[in-house]
Amino acid sequence: MLSLKRIIMGLIVIVAVIQLIPVTRTNPAEPDPIVFTNPQAEALAKRACYACHANTNAWDWYAYVAPVSWIYVDHVNEGRQALNFSDIAASIANSGEGGESGEGIPTHSHAEEENEGNGSEAGSVGGQGSAAELIDEVAEHMQNGEMPPSYFYLTHYADATLTSEEQTILVQGMRDALAGR
Ligand code: HEC
């Protein structure tokens, strides 16, 4: 008969063995870091967003423990791709596409073709992105309570919690920092 003791021993062995699967936690260089002019906005972003949206994040201890580490690394990679305070140029380029899925899926390639045609006038057509679009996404995601993600509150409750004033400061801080981009 399978005793509880055996089941627990088995789980311990499994957890020990999966630790051997390599996980790549990177902190790459910062190609184009945002330069905040408002230190309060900078502090808020660092507190609530940098864990997943910058190349300078400190990895929590559980980033080193499988299977949590697999999910963790995945989210940081996805987070950096969506918005990276260490690579603003790429974030601007990525903004406006892929955001809320479902709106106008088939128009995507058309929009890109049009953008190629009239160069600088790209703006909000989609695909190309702009600083304004990026900042709107940030504001929207915070207002909807989508960002920071709910699971982040489990381990970083105080860091994650932003009052609506703090959200406004962060958004305005990004506007100031990215003015002219
Ligand atoms: C614990 C990790 C984590 C934290 C902390 C976090 N995010 Fe995210 N964020 C993600 C992940 C993963 C994605 C990509 C998947 C998705 O859209 O849900 C994402 C996506 C986004 C997007 C979507 C961009 C797009 O292309 O639509 C925005 C905007 C964003 N985050 C803003 C923020 C802001 C602002 C903060 C801080 C207030 C924050 N996030 C904190 C993990 C995080």
Side-chain angles (χ1 to χ4, degrees), residues 22 31 42 114 123 126-127 163:
E42 179 171 12
E114 280 165 33
T163 64

Side-chain angles (χ1 to χ4, degrees), residues 10-55:
L11 283 177
I12 290 172
V13 170
I14 290 169
V15 169
V17 167
I18 63 175
Q19 304 310 317
L20 303 175
I21 299 171
V23 176
T24 314
R25 286 168 297 267
T26 61
N27 280 94
E30 297 191 87
D32 182 18
I34 191 167
V35 180
F36 280 103
T37 50
N38 179 350
Q40 202 188 347
E42 179 171 12
L44 292 170
K46 286 191 168 156
R47 193 182 102 191
C49 315
Y50 274 40
C52 307
H53 291 292
N55 293 350

Side-chain angles (χ1 to χ4, degrees), residues 70-134:
W70 306 339
I71 302 162
Y72 192 137
V73 170
D74 224 52
H75 280 212
V76 171
N77 289 339
E78 271 179 45
R80 284 174 177 170
Q81 210 149 37
L83 163 67
N84 192 340
F85 286 100
S86 304
D87 193 354
I88 287 300
S91 302
I92 290 173
N94 286 340
S95 70
E97 61 176 47
E100 305 304 306
S101 53
E103 32 170 21
I105 301 154
T107 64
H108 217 88
S109 57
H110 281 292
E112 262 161 10
E113 278 165 30
E114 280 165 33
N115 284 349
E116 267 173 45
N118 49 27
S120 60
E121 260 285 293
S124 57
V125 191
Q128 194 106 2
S130 65
E133 234 163 1
L134 179 68

Side-chain angles (χ1 to χ4, degrees), residues 48-49 51-53 75 78-79 82-83 97 99 137-138 141-142 147-149 151-152 162 170:
C49 315
C52 307
H53 291 292
H75 280 212
E78 271 179 45
L83 163 67
E97 61 176 47
E137 279 171 12
V138 166
H141 279 71
M142 285 194 297
M147 285 290 148
Y151 60 82
F152 189 62
L162 297 177
L170 174 48

Side-chain angles (χ1 to χ4, degrees), residues 20 27 37 45 59 75 93 96-97 106 113 120 132 161 167-169 172 178 181:
L20 303 175
N27 280 94
T37 50
W59 295 93
H75 280 212
E97 61 176 47
E113 278 165 30
S120 60
T161 308
Q167 291 180 4
T168 308
I169 291 166
Q172 189 55 48
L178 302 182
R181 297 196 58 164

